[in-house]
Amino acid sequence: MTLDGEQMHYSVVGQGEPLVLVHGLSGSWRWWLRNVPTLAQHYRVYLVDLPGFGSMRHLSKKFDLLRCAAWLDMWMKELGLEEVRLVGHSMGGYICMELATLRPEKVKHLVLVDSIGIPFGPMVNQLEAMAMRSIYRTTPAFWPYMAYDYLRAGRLMVRRAAEQIIALDAASVISSVVAPTLLVWGDQDDLVPFSLGQQLHANLAGSRLLILEGSNHFSMFDQPQVFNSAILAFFQGQEIGDLYALT
């Protein structure tokens, strides 16, 4: 598939209503490997790499955080996806929020996993150190995926995206979200601290909060069983309230 003259790479697994998974900084669709088998039993899961990352690393010069939501919107239009559920991790969380405000009629449910959005103020070098600490403290099984995707994207690409994250002012986007929203947060998140998750929860009217005890920034990988069960319950309209999930 081509989009705006560029070759697009994405994967589709399962059958049913569409569910789109959007990765975070320096990542790829591979970060969802512990979630796809379960989710694909219920939904048609679309795994997309953002421009500049994963299989789309050749588009590194075109990466613009503030244009990624529009890019996803065009991609969905090309595929004929009229109504979707969105799950975004970290940087991907902000992108999904923006898409939910850009096309509110298209987003049935929104899940934000350890998402950026509330300003947290570090410089790029500090952000890199925080990311390394977060990676070190997550499950070691994640390390090969992280290393591979970081090397594919390259340090310059990751740094350029990090600079855009630090400069982000998401207040207007956050206040405009109307889709039913579930926040999932690791209470040990070293990169986007849980306190920011609490602030985001307070600023997203009607949102629900799932706290994963003992998880770091990559909570969907750290605790996939709890994560998968919770978002499936959320999608199916089951009342999960504000939960504290124990390991």
Side-chain angles (χ1 to χ4, degrees), residues 6-9 23-28 48-65 68 71 91 95 148-161 164:
E6 300 289 350
Q7 185 67 35
M8 289 286 300
H9 299 275
H23 65 79
L25 177 63
S26 85
S28 76
V48 60
D49 286 348
L50 295 169
F53 299 100
S55 58
M56 300 291 288
R57 60 191 178 279
H58 61 287
L59 296 181
S60 59
K61 293 181 180 180
K62 292 193 174 185
F63 178 82
D64 182 346
L65 179 58
C68 282
W71 179 85
M91 180 181 76
I95 294 167
Y148 178 65
D149 285 330
Y150 178 85
L151 291 173
R152 284 201 292 176
R155 188 171 186 269
L156 289 178
M157 173 62 212
V158 174
R159 189 177 181 88
R160 184 161 60 249
Q164 295 182 36

Side-chain angles (χ1 to χ4, degrees), residues 120 130 185-198:
F120 58 111
M130 292 162 66
W185 228 276
D187 71 342
Q188 300 299 311
D189 193 328
D190 289 307
L191 185 56
V192 185
F194 174 56
S195 60
L196 300 184
Q198 292 174 306

Side-chain angles (χ1 to χ4, degrees), residues 58-111:
H58 61 287
L59 296 181
S60 59
K61 293 181 180 180
K62 292 193 174 185
F63 178 82
D64 182 346
L65 179 58
L66 299 181
R67 290 182 56 82
C68 282
W71 179 85
L72 276 178
D73 182 43
M74 289 189 294
W75 171 76
M76 286 167 49
K77 185 177 180 180
E78 285 290 318
L79 290 178
L81 301 180
E82 296 296 331
E83 188 177 60
V84 302
R85 291 170 172 85
L86 292 176
V87 181
H89 172 247
S90 194
M91 180 181 76
Y94 167 76
I95 294 167
C96 289
M97 272 195 288
E98 187 175 359
L99 181 54
T101 63
L102 182 67
R103 294 285 184 261
E105 74 282 0
K106 285 190 173 183
V107 180
K108 192 169 184 178
H109 291 96
L110 180 63
V111 178

Side-chain angles (χ1 to χ4, degrees), residues 118 174-175 183 185 194-209 242:
I118 300 296
I174 293 170
S175 65
L183 306 180
W185 228 276
F194 174 56
S195 60
L196 300 184
Q198 292 174 306
Q199 292 181 52
L200 186 58
H201 178 41
N203 283 277
L204 279 169
S207 63
R208 304 174 187 180
L209 176 62
D242 288 350

Side-chain angles (χ1 to χ4, degrees), residues 195-242:
S195 60
L196 300 184
Q198 292 174 306
Q199 292 181 52
L200 186 58
H201 178 41
N203 283 277
L204 279 169
S207 63
R208 304 174 187 180
L209 176 62
L210 172 67
I211 310 165
L212 298 187
E213 186 181 58
S215 284
N216 211 289
H217 187 61
F218 310 96
S219 55
M220 73 288 190
F221 198 94
D222 282 345
Q223 296 190 37
Q225 292 182 333
V226 175
F227 178 89
N228 297 339
S229 296
I231 69 170
L232 286 173
F234 173 63
F235 291 156
Q236 294 162 10
Q238 299 176 22
E239 182 57 51
I240 61 174
D242 288 350

